[in-house]
Structures are given as C-alpha cells and as structure tokens.
Amino acid sequence: MRDGSAFLNDNAQRIADGMVRDADRLRVAVSTGSSGERFIDAGAKVTGSIEAGLRIAEATMGGLGSISAVIDRTLETWPFTLEVRSSQPVLACLASQYAGWNLSNGDYFAMGSGPARALARVEPLFSTLAYRDTASSAVLVLETPKPPPPAVVEKVTKATGLPADKLTFLYAPTQSLAGTVQIVSRVLEVAMHKANDLKFPLENILDGIGAAPLPAPHPDFLTAMGRTNDAIIYGSVVQLFVKGPAAQAKELAQKLPSHTSRDHGQPFAEIFKKFKGDFYAIDPLLFSPAEVIVMALETGETFRAGRRDLKMLERSLG
C-alpha cells in the first residue's frame, strides 16, 4: 500500500485540475502568481458556486471524502443539507482537512487546510499522525478573500520542499457560496478533531458520516462565520463506526456532542463578541457536532447523545 498521505495530494491535484478545466461552469478564476504558483479564486472576485465549494471540500479531504448536497425534510426551514462520508476519516479529516497551519504574515491572516499540510508536517498534530508524503505537487486551501502574498508562498515552498510552480492555492472567503459550503463540509472533521482531543484511539475509528444544514451566505463576515459554525454546533449529526470495547464507544458518544462545552447555548457570533474576537479564548470543545451516534462494531451496540437545536438555528441562520 502506498504511503497514506502521498495519495492525498495526488487526489487533490486531480480535483484542482478539474476545477481549472471547468472554471467557467464553476464560476471560478484561475491565475498564476509571481513565482509560478497557481491560484484558484472560488469566491473573492468571482461569484463561485455551490459545486465549486463541494469540489474544494473534496480537495481539502485529499479525495478521501464524498460530499453531496441533499434534502433533509426533518429540517423544514433549512432542508438543503451537506452530507459528508469517509472510509478513511483519520487521513481525510485530520491529516488533510483540518485547518491547522498558521500562514499569517503581517496583515494577511489565513489558516491552511488540505493535503499540503501532510507534506509540510509543521503542526503538533502530526506528532500523533505517522504519515509522510512523497508528492511532487501539493494543494492548499485558504478561507480568505485574498490570495497568499509572496512571503506566504515562500513559507509553503520551504515547508513542503516543492517549487512554487508545483503548488495550487484554492481560496474563498467565508461570505461566499463556495466558502460557506467548504466550511460546513467540515462537519465530520470537527468530530474527528474532538475525538483526538478526548484521547480516543484514532486507529479505532473506521468510518464516519456527517450532515449539517447549509445556511445562506451573508455579506457580513461575523454573521457569515456565525452561521457556518452554528450549522455544525447546533444543527449537525455525525455517526462514527468504531472498533474496540463498547464502553469506549459509549464514552465517546457521551463526550463528543457540542452541548458538553461551557460555551454552548448562544449563537456563535455572540460568543465571538463576548470574547472580543479572540477565537482561541473560546472553549475548543464547542467545535463539535450537535448530535452524535457511535456504533461499536464488535458488539453491534449503538450509543447516542446530544440533539439538534432548531430554535438556536432559527436565531442564527435566519
């Protein structure tokens, strides 16, 4: 079997190449930076699209996730739902999708996600993920209205060991269609990240499915950020299939939902204001699904905890 993270970049490269080929249909813009790096704007100076967001989300998961837009009639006001599945959730979500690479420079702020992270391996998270990459090109996704400046591109080239012309940067702001889609598509990833924080054995998580309502984008950044976070915190459901003792599966189900956080119970935009815009002051345990189902494969038992909060969604999503 090939090294796990190597095919993450290969898969993402094919997805990015497909976006370039379908740029007109997706309403994205392709350009080349000063050092030969490729930029794909999916919502900053272009309209973008839901389909562009779905493809970005698949790229962030290194091609190991299936993301689709479906109708969920149980959410009458927000029936348009994003469904995410992966049979390699540790690789797809933690080694690739998680936005854990700080690429800020001066007044430019961005957190990098996508499989280029697995090549650079500069984050503490990779001390628990024993995956190395031998890719000849890399893809990075940025939730930002601007392409990365030359200093950031240089930082990525040094960390990945690749020349700039082998790098693709996909970017879209939170307020855009594509940005909204790719953020809400992290519904499974937040469950995986919290499971890691809870010290659940990652090798025991074999499969995962998540779903969250897709809110309307909003031109105000804080409102848009609040909606995308609340769609997951108060409106999502995740099911994990795990091996190992049933007692471990039960404990995971009980601790994983967002209601276990001290900051649960207010729209995210209000929480953000309360902490004066300090994202890192917010309880990290808040970033998790509203409802969790954990199935213990060795015993056939299913454990459930949490619930979706429709009243909170009404306050936040409009």
Side-chain angles (χ1 to χ4, degrees):
M1 181 176 178
R2 295 179 58 194
D3 178 87
S5 56
F7 62 71
L8 294 175
N9 275 292
D10 293 345
N11 291 343
Q13 190 68 53
R14 285 192 291 271
I15 294 168
D17 290 345
M19 292 184 69
V20 172
R21 182 184 62 245
D22 299 334
D24 290 343
R25 178 163 68 86
L26 298 175
R27 295 194 294 267
V28 303
V30 183
S31 61
T32 302
S34 58
S35 297
E37 65 275 17
R38 181 168 65 176
F39 297 137
I40 301 179
D41 174 4
K45 293 185 177 180
V46 295
T47 305
S49 60
I50 290 173
E51 178 63 27
L54 292 173
R55 295 207 200 178
I56 291 175
E58 291 179 352
T60 64
M61 298 183 78
L64 296 185
S66 175
I67 301 115
S68 54
V70 299
I71 297 294
D72 181 357
R73 291 298 183 187
T74 66
L75 295 173
E76 293 183 0
T77 310
W78 311 277
F80 197 13
T81 297
L82 294 179
E83 183 179 284
V84 182
R85 293 177 285 116
S86 179
S87 294
Q88 297 283 339
V90 175
L91 281 177
C93 296
L94 296 184
S96 192
Q97 189 178 27
Y98 176 59
W101 191 0
N102 189 337
L103 293 172
S104 299
N105 181 266
D107 59 358
Y108 181 83
F109 177 81
M111 298 297 292
S113 62
R117 294 176 49 247
L119 187 63
R121 294 179 58 85
V122 296
E123 304 159 45
L125 176 62
F126 284 95
S127 64
T128 62
L129 298 174
Y131 306 113
R132 294 194 176 276
D133 202 342
T134 57
S136 59
S137 62
V139 176
L140 201 64
V141 175
L142 305 170
E143 181 188 336
T144 174
K146 297 179 181 179
V152 171
V153 175
E154 183 179 2
K155 181 178 181 178
V156 176
T157 63
K158 289 181 178 179
T160 60
L162 295 175
D165 62 1
K166 296 297 182 181
L167 300 177
T168 296
F169 294 88
L170 298 162
Y171 67 99
T174 308
Q175 302 95 311
S176 65
L177 272 172
T180 299
V181 170
Q182 77 92 5
I183 296 169
V184 177
S185 293
R186 297 172 183 272
V187 57
L188 181 59
E189 177 253 295
V190 298
M192 295 296 299
H193 193 262
K194 188 170 181 178
N196 184 49
D197 287 345
L198 294 171
K199 308 302 181 184
F200 186 85
L202 295 178
E203 67 273 13
N204 285 1
I205 304 177
L206 302 183
D207 223 308
I209 304 171
L214 180 63
H218 196 282
D220 175 69
F221 170 74
L222 181 58
T223 302
M225 180 176 65
R227 287 182 175 183
T228 55
N229 278 281
D230 288 338
I232 294 175
I233 294 168
Y234 298 109
S236 70
V237 57
V238 165
Q239 181 162 342
L240 300 178
F241 300 81
V242 305
K243 65 180 182 178
Q248 280 188 342
K250 182 179 181 180
E251 183 180 19
L252 179 64
Q254 291 172 339
K255 292 183 176 181
L256 202 55
S258 58
H259 78 260
T260 61
S261 167
R262 67 164 193 259
D263 292 328
H264 186 273
Q266 291 181 286
F268 184 81
E270 294 182 15
I271 297 172
F272 193 74
K273 289 179 182 178
K274 182 175 73 173
F275 287 102
K276 299 180 180 180
D278 185 355
F279 194 87
Y280 296 101
I282 301 170
D283 181 10
L285 297 182
L286 179 66
F287 301 100
S288 47
E291 182 179 352
V292 173
I293 304 166
V294 180
M295 178 175 288
L297 293 174
E298 294 173 18
T299 65
E301 295 175 86
T302 300
F303 305 99
R304 298 175 175 85
R307 64 178 179 83
R308 293 182 290 182
D309 190 334
L310 301 187
K311 290 184 178 180
M312 191 64 69
L313 290 181
E314 289 176 359
R315 287 178 61 182
S316 176
L317 304 194

